[in-house]
Amino acid sequence: MSVFTKDNFPEIKSEPNWFWTWCIRIVFFPLFGSLVLCFYIIPFAFYIDGTIEGGQLFAFGIIYYPIVIWLSYIAVRYLKRIKSKAVRCISVNRDGIFDEQLDGTVESLLYSQLEKSSDDFNIYDVFIGSNLVYTGTSTYRQTFLKVFLKGNEQKVRPFHPDVAYSYYAGNSRTLRSHFIQGITLFRPDLRIAPNVYSEFSIHPETFEFDRKVYWQAIILAIIFIILLFIGIEWYMKYRFGYSLIF
């Protein structure tokens, strides 16, 4: 493995993984289209099963469908507006991160722009942030990299181009670890939280993707889920006398 220094630190660009790109598109687009279609056909479904009569459907549709059509129009306009700002290529080099957008503009996050922590309770300048995301059926923790910029915490944009307009990057982990390695080389004054390496499965010395740590975390998560279901099964069986799963 090459040892990178300030003199030989290379530029790495996002590389498309077309298999996962089309898998995501094939799954997401039909689901999204079905969701939109549901808003238009639900009233007719109530009419077909006899829940409402034709006159009630007509009266309801006079109010309901103009609202749905107006919201659809707003959504289409919004998607067209953000399309030009969709990221089609990401590069990490000796200066920082550069996001090339479909309209030709480039947004950057330079190492020279990064600042030391202004938070008395945070001793690190590069650290992990997270949000709880509710999908409608489940909740998961979304993890991201954070830095300080202009005196405030700044979330680093995900190291993925926009899948809908561009592609799924197969080397997103490499881009992220390369950016973190760039911080250690060009901004050694900044303090990186240790959990940045563990959270993203990055080896702290080689900055390569640590597959061993990654799969250990996956296996532990699977074991935890299995044990959780077993615990629920036992509780339901001995508390209520019937099985929930079997």
Side-chain angles (χ1 to χ4, degrees):
M1 186 198 72
S2 300
V3 177
F4 297 141
T5 65
K6 289 183 178 181
D7 297 324
N8 68 351
F9 193 73
E11 179 180 58
I12 296 180
K13 293 187 176 183
S14 56
E15 300 174 354
N17 184 319
W18 293 114
F19 173 77
W20 284 113
T21 298
W22 283 106
C23 282
I24 294 171
R25 289 175 178 176
I26 290 171
V27 171
F28 174 76
F29 288 156
L31 286 176
F32 180 75
S34 299
L35 179 64
V36 173
L37 186 62
C38 282
F39 284 102
Y40 286 90
I41 66 175
I42 283 177
F44 288 98
F46 284 113
Y47 171 71
I48 292 173
D49 69 7
T51 304
I52 61 176
E53 299 178 353
Q56 293 173 318
L57 174 63
F58 178 77
F60 176 74
I62 290 177
I63 301 174
Y64 177 77
Y65 282 106
I67 295 175
V68 172
I69 293 172
W70 177 73
L71 291 175
S72 300
Y73 172 72
I74 295 297
V76 170
R77 286 193 60 185
Y78 172 75
L79 292 174
K80 286 184 176 180
R81 186 169 68 251
I82 66 173
K83 178 180 179 180
S84 61
K85 295 299 180 182
V87 176
R88 65 180 178 184
C89 182
I90 301 172
S91 58
V92 179
N93 57 29
R94 60 186 300 108
D95 296 314
I97 309 173
F98 296 86
D99 296 327
E100 181 183 347
Q101 300 173 341
L102 288 179
D103 62 1
T105 60
V106 178
E107 291 188 353
S108 62
L109 177 60
L110 306 179
Y111 299 126
S112 59
Q113 294 176 314
L114 304 182
E115 300 175 352
K116 298 186 71 66
S117 172
S118 59
D119 188 347
D120 296 334
F121 300 98
N122 191 353
I123 63 173
Y124 296 108
D125 310 308
V126 182
F127 54 102
I128 292 293
S130 63
N131 286 331
L132 287 178
V133 179
Y134 180 65
T135 63
T137 57
S138 61
T139 302
Y140 70 95
R141 186 169 67 96
Q142 183 185 46
T143 303
F144 43 81
L145 191 65
K146 298 192 77 173
V147 296
F148 278 91
L149 195 66
K150 298 180 180 179
N152 297 310
E153 294 182 8
Q154 175 72 40
K155 181 170 68 173
V156 179
R157 190 190 181 284
F159 291 83
H160 271 298
D162 291 284
V163 179
Y165 301 114
S166 301
Y167 52 83
Y168 176 88
N171 63 338
S172 61
R173 294 182 183 276
T174 303
L175 291 168
R176 180 167 50 212
S177 61
H178 201 59
F179 173 69
I180 294 172
Q181 186 175 17
I183 294 176
T184 64
L185 289 175
F186 300 103
R187 291 299 307 273
D189 57 310
L190 299 180
R191 298 160 296 180
I192 302 176
N195 66 341
V196 168
Y197 299 99
S198 58
E199 185 69 32
F200 297 122
S201 302
I202 299 173
H203 195 286
E205 296 179 0
T206 64
F207 292 92
E208 292 185 324
F209 175 51
D210 197 331
R211 296 183 182 276
K212 181 179 179 181
V213 173
Y214 176 77
W215 283 110
Q216 284 177 347
I218 293 295
I219 292 172
L220 287 175
I222 293 173
I223 293 174
F224 173 77
I225 293 173
I226 293 173
L227 292 176
L228 179 63
F229 275 104
I230 292 175
I232 294 173
E233 175 71 8
W234 283 353
Y235 176 80
M236 295 297 295
K237 184 176 180 179
Y238 291 103
R239 178 67 176 82
F240 300 103
Y242 64 86
S243 173
L244 181 67
I245 301 175
F246 301 106

